[in-house]
Every structure is written in C-alpha cells, then in structure tokens.
Amino acid sequence: MKPLFSGLHVENIKVVRRVIVSVVGATVLLIGIALLVLPGPAFVVIPVALAILATEYAWARRWLKKARRIASNVVSGRDSAAPRESRA
C-alpha cells in the first residue's frame, strides 16, 4: 500500500499553500476594506490580512511595515499630545 501523499511533489505543495494563503488573505483584506465604511474594527482586520499575505508576498510585507510605522506614529503622537499634569 502506498502512502497517501506519495504522489505530491514539493512544488505542488508550495503552489497549493500559496493559493490558500492568497485566497484567505485576500478575503480577510476585502472584509477589512468593507469595514472601513461599515461598523467594525477595520484598522485591526486590515493589518491581520496583510500579515497573512506577508507570509508569501514581498509587497504585503512592505505594506505591513508601513502600516506598523503609521500605527506607531499615531500612538506616539497621542502620547505627546496628551495634556500633562502640572505639579502645583
């Protein structure tokens, strides 16, 4: 009796994995884009989708780095804009 996956080649497995990552990542990204106009956490869902796609695509890695940089600037901007308590 032959093993179940003996006929699959490594190249085929890579292609199947890339297709699955692409479909799942694109679906989550489209949901995130829809959440920009619908009520929901779009600014959480979109980076998650980019993280999924970044496992296979360099362009998604670049966009994810840009999104992280923007998020850190927003967070640090909020911290510096917060009113400080004075010691009176």
Side-chain angles (χ1 to χ4, degrees), residues 2-31:
K2 290 184 177 181
L4 183 62
F5 296 108
S6 65
L8 293 178
H9 298 293
V10 174
E11 296 85 24
N12 293 342
I13 294 172
K14 288 181 181 179
V15 170
V16 169
R17 181 179 185 268
R18 189 169 189 143
V19 168
I20 291 171
V21 167
S22 299
V23 169
V24 171
T27 302
V28 175
L29 185 61
L30 289 174
I31 291 169

Side-chain angles (χ1 to χ4, degrees), residues 26-75:
T27 302
V28 175
L29 185 61
L30 289 174
I31 291 169
I33 291 170
L35 288 176
L36 287 171
V37 294
L38 298 172
F43 297 106
V44 174
V45 175
I46 292 174
V48 168
L50 289 175
I52 293 169
L53 291 169
T55 62
E56 291 292 326
Y57 298 105
W59 61 265
R61 272 183 235 116
R62 287 191 303 270
W63 284 18
L64 185 59
K65 285 181 185 178
K66 184 183 273 191
R68 285 180 181 164
R69 188 170 45 246
I70 290 170
S72 86
N73 289 341
V74 167
V75 169

